[in-house]
Amino acid sequence: MRRIFLVLMLSMSMAIVACASNSASSGSGSSNDVKVLNGCKVDAARICNSIRGQSVDESNTGLQADPTRLEQNSARTANIVVPVKNPKGDEIFEVECGMNTQQQSVSWASIKTGPPVTDDDANYLRGAGYCSEP
């Protein structure tokens, strides 16, 4: 009987350690994307942080939503898409942000790339402060 109890306790201990190490390695659950586009290192989380607390356009209604409205009408983590456009109005890429609506914090960020980034686009991104050199 003692042997069974010892094996059971050892098994439970190993399961607890495995779960604890799995949650520790995943951190807070945040995932942030950094991509190099034509020599320009773009940090998606930095772009998402720049829109915190600002009004956004709701895709389903077309209306502007301030942070309070967003918190009331969205899931806890709202998906917000930020188009990054060049001065001509052409979209260079999109950044998708998972924004915690209650705390106005970035849960995750991802860059959705489009067509290849041209030299002019990369120069614009550098000048606008969207990127740093790799």
Side-chain angles (χ1 to χ4, degrees), residues 7-24:
V7 170
L8 180 64
M9 289 303 290
L10 184 61
S11 298
M12 287 177 51
S13 298
M14 289 174 55
I16 290 171
V17 168
C19 289
S21 68
N22 189 20
S23 65

Side-chain angles (χ1 to χ4, degrees), residues 46-122:
R46 191 168 138 204
I47 294 171
C48 292
N49 273 322
S50 71
I51 66 160
R52 287 180 2 185
Q54 296 183 15
S55 296
V56 296
D57 293 332
E58 291 182 324
S59 61
N60 57 342
T61 64
L63 301 174
Q64 277 222 334
D66 64 4
T68 304
R69 179 181 166 113
L70 194 63
E71 179 182 346
Q72 292 171 351
N73 297 329
S74 298
R76 173 111 186 199
T77 302
N79 290 352
I80 298 173
V81 177
V82 181
V84 176
K85 298 181 179 186
N86 64 19
K88 294 183 280 185
D90 299 326
E91 189 171 292
I92 302 171
F93 59 87
E94 288 181 339
V95 177
E96 191 173 359
C97 307
M99 191 72 70
N100 180 314
T101 57
Q102 290 182 334
Q103 304 200 2
Q104 282 296 303
S105 62
V106 178
S107 300
W108 54 267
S110 178
I111 295 173
K112 307 295 182 195
T113 57
V117 175
T118 66
D119 291 339
D120 289 339
D121 290 341

Side-chain angles (χ1 to χ4, degrees), residues 21-36:
S21 68
N22 189 20
S23 65
S25 67
S26 66
S28 63
S30 67
S31 171
N32 298 321
D33 196 7
V34 176
K35 287 198 172 146
V36 178

